[in-house]
Every structure is written in C-alpha cells, then in structure tokens.
Amino acid sequence: MAFLNGEQRDPRLNEILYPPCDAARTKDLVRTYEPNKEFADKGHISPDGLLRYLLSVENDVLMAEKYDLHDDMDQPLCHYFINSSHNTYLVGHQLTGRASVEIYRQCLLAGCRCVELDCWDGSDDEPIITHGFTMCTEVKFREVMEAIAESAFKTSDYPIVLSFENHCVKQQDKLARYCREILADSLLVDPFDSHPLEPGAPLPSPNLLKRKILIKNKKKHINMAVNEIQKLRELHRAKDEELARRQDETQRELARQREEYERRLTDELKQKCDKLEHEFQ
C-alpha cells in the first residue's frame, strides 16, 4: 500500500475524486494480478504479479477517458500531429535490414496514419520498394499497395498519407496505375471544390478526409524543369561545338599532312628526274 500511494500515485490528483489506495483496494489488486493463488490468499505479490500490475491499464500514462476522441477534428490537416512511420518497409537495420510487406499491415493496425514508400524501378519491369544503394532486400510495390488497401481503415476512419520517395524513372506509370486500381475510391485524386489547391487555401480537415488515402510526392516546379532542360540544351550545344572544333582540327591536320606528303613526293620525283637526266648526258 505504501508503494502504491508513495511511488505510483500522482500527488497532484484530487484526493476526493481520486482517493489513495486503502488495504481493501490493495488486496483487490493483489488478487487480480498475482498468478500464484497461495501468495494472493496471503496478500503477497510475486515479481511476476508486480510486473503484470505495472504493465496493466492501472498504470497507463493517460486516463482511460482520455482515449476517447475529444479533439476538434475539423481544422485543416496541417494543424495536427500525425502518427507517422519512417522507412516503414524495413525490419531491422536501414543498411542491411529485410524489407517486409507485412510491416505495413502492422503499422496501420497499430494506428499509424502516415507510412513511407521508397519506390525504385524493378529489374523485372515491376516497381519495387527498398532502401536504395544499400544491402536491404526489396518488396514489390503492388504487394504493398494491396496490404495498405486491406488494412487502411481497420482501426480508424481518419485519412492515411502515403509518403512517396519516388526514384522511379521508367515505371512511374505503373505506380500510378497500381494506386488507382488497388486503392480505387479510397484514393483522393481530385481536390474538393470547397478546398482548392491554391496558395493560401486551407487543407481539408481530417473529418472531411475520412476513409481517404492521400499521396505525398515531390513534384518539380515547372520553372525548375525548364531550367534543367535549358542546361541540358546548353550542355549538348557545347558538346556539339567541341566536336565540330575537333573535326575542323582533324581536317586541317589531314590537309597539312596531305600537302606535306605531296610536297615530299614532288621533291623525290624531281630528284629522280634530275638524276636520270644527268646520267643520259
């Protein structure tokens, strides 16, 4: 009883609403959590019984009533902290770990609302999810989509965010097709009329986005794309100019060598002719 009141009880609690433990309450806890009946009958608790008590709902950080949703869920989505997962697909070390489809199910069933997918072009024309440039294993993107569709709203109707780290080049069309086919109506494709995607416009609320799956993916700004294209054009133009310069130098060198060869040949012929003419004289 001294342990419960002196160590476990929050001294800030109101003693009328949350009275300290008495002998009767202590005995009830021992009988509830002590697996050895003989110990329980004597009012004793073993290390195993104490461990069961410490890991029970009696010692939750939050009060039971706080588990019920009581926050305003009609604010823009960006106003909330979101239960998120990083490198969701990995089991173990991020350099040598094993990738797993099942871990997506486990995270979603545990209440996670944002999972990460590192997408790469696969060797068999199927996009994969893995940690690039490491020794981690890989899983099929399609299988992950199926796992997400199956487990997305088992524990909560609030929206899910798929955080794409998109490294695909040739297989991006398959990413889009699998998302549309497998996630179907759950996938949020077009913005709501009430919340246009415009600068300064608020994002939809969690309540408005219930049972919807959102994709978060970096998209290059059009000006960045134009600049990159311009840089590539300038690079190609510089290469063409360098190639043309080298071709000109090669042609000039060939012309010089041809002239030198013709001059030497003319000189040799002249010398032979002079020699023959001298012999006949």
Side-chain angles (χ1 to χ4, degrees), residues 202-214:
L203 294 176
S205 68
N207 276 337
L208 188 60
L209 292 168
K210 278 186 175 181
R211 301 192 70 83
K212 287 295 182 182
I213 298 177
L214 291 70

Side-chain angles (χ1 to χ4, degrees), residues 143-159:
E143 295 177 3
V144 171
M145 285 293 102
E146 291 170 348
I148 291 173
E150 175 187 333
S151 308
F153 304 109
K154 295 289 187 181
T155 58
S156 173
D157 285 339
Y158 284 109

